[in-house]
Amino acid sequence: DSGVTQTPKHLITATGQRVTLRCSPRSGDLSVYWYQQSLDQGLQFLIQYYNGEERAKGNILERFSAQQFPDLHSELNLSSLELGDSALYFCASSATRGAGELFFGEGSRLTVL
Amino acid sequence: KNEVEQSPQNLTAQEGEFITINCSYSVGISALHWLQQHPGGGIVSLFMLSSGKKKHGRLIATINIQEKHSSLHITASHPRDSAVYICAVRGRAGSYQLTFGKGTKLSVIP
């Protein structure tokens, strides 16, 4: 158990809809990272938050947004969903801004029909 | 072209064999990670390396910064080692904007 909790584990929805994925980092970890794993693209970095502030942005679509709350949990919002958004979405956390060990959650599997 | 190349893409081994998975990268990095992903999908971080060699149980990871190459070795492989092993590199910026390899699927047969 990495200590990183993601919900929901599975989500099935329709095109055009909006979903929210939630991540609770390990106790004490200030950084949260979101990654997308699709069959054709593999794993890709989406976005990083550190202590409530956005720190780095990767290949995140404009239809996607994220935030980190004062209690350090994070949410990834995916809107106007398309079939191609079907993927595993991972959250990870670390104690620092950009160094040290990384701990992954179990992932949220999104299926868009 | 992916900046991180792994080989082989697929690997089948008999239980007990010594296994090597390779990772080459083309950019300067501050650290390299080896990750393990089991069929259920969860990802576990095995190693984080910036130089030299690390060992954890039957797993050994090495990195050669000058040659931009890392290897993951598994000694006395076991069916429970069957998983996808993913190499990921962190750029000099120091953020966790990791760039991932496509993974090596390992199957260890009893």
Side-chain angles (χ1 to χ4, degrees):
Chain A
D1 182 9
S2 67
V4 179
T5 304
Q6 287 189 247
T7 57
K9 288 191 170 23
H10 301 275
L11 189 55
I12 301 174
T13 188
T15 54
Q17 295 297 305
R18 181 179 189 277
V19 299
T20 297
L21 309 180
R22 182 189 168 104
C23 170
S24 294
R26 280 193 331 150
S27 178
D29 282 359
L30 298 178
S31 276
V32 170
Y33 315 83
W34 286 98
Y35 301 94
Q36 179 195 56
Q37 186 178 38
S38 60
L39 280 174
D40 54 345
Q41 297 286 334
L43 269 164
Q44 292 190 94
F45 168 75
L46 294 179
I47 197 163
Q48 175 197 358
Y49 279 84
Y50 175 77
N51 203 21
E53 293 190 6
E54 182 184 305
R55 288 291 302 173
K57 219 169 188 177
N59 299 319
I60 188 166
L61 299 173
E62 284 190 12
R63 300 184 285 108
F64 297 179
S65 65
Q67 54 184 326
Q68 186 179 27
F69 295 86
D71 67 352
L72 300 178
H73 92 270
S74 178
E75 292 181 356
L76 179 66
N77 301 295
L78 315 175
S79 62
S80 303
L81 285 168
E82 302 175 0
L83 295 177
D85 298 327
S86 295
L88 259 173
Y89 291 85
F90 286 100
C91 165
S93 73
S94 72
T96 60
R97 259 178 287 194
E101 201 169 348
L102 202 58
F103 296 89
F104 284 83
E106 292 289 311
S108 293
R109 186 176 294 277
L110 172 67
T111 303
V112 182
L113 301 176
Chain B
K1 184 181 182 296
N2 197 2
E3 294 175 348
V4 181
E5 297 286 344
Q6 284 186 240
S7 63
Q9 286 187 339
N10 293 282
L11 181 56
T12 301
Q14 292 289 329
E15 183 173 356
E17 283 185 8
F18 180 84
I19 287 162
T20 296
I21 299 170
N22 295 299
C23 174
S24 296
Y25 52 92
S26 57
V27 297
I29 65 169
S30 57
L32 181 144
H33 295 253
W34 281 103
L35 310 173
Q36 180 192 56
Q37 186 171 29
H38 277 283
I43 293 175
V44 174
S45 178
L46 297 175
F47 295 104
M48 184 182 71
L49 293 161
S50 54
S51 65
K53 176 179 173 178
K54 286 189 176 180
K55 185 176 189 292
H56 182 69
R58 295 179 296 105
L59 302 179
I60 303 166
T62 63
I63 188 168
N64 185 318
I65 296 293
Q66 286 73 31
E67 295 186 4
K68 294 186 169 58
H69 181 269
S70 176
S71 293
L72 176 69
H73 306 286
I74 305 175
T75 62
S77 60
H78 189 276
R80 66 175 174 265
D81 297 325
S82 298
V84 175
Y85 292 84
I86 301 168
C87 169
V89 300
R90 178 153 48 98
R92 294 188 191 280
S95 79
Y96 265 103
Q97 192 158 343
L98 296 176
T99 302
F100 298 86
K102 294 195 180 301
T104 295
K105 185 175 181 181
L106 172 65
S107 300
V108 181
I109 301 169

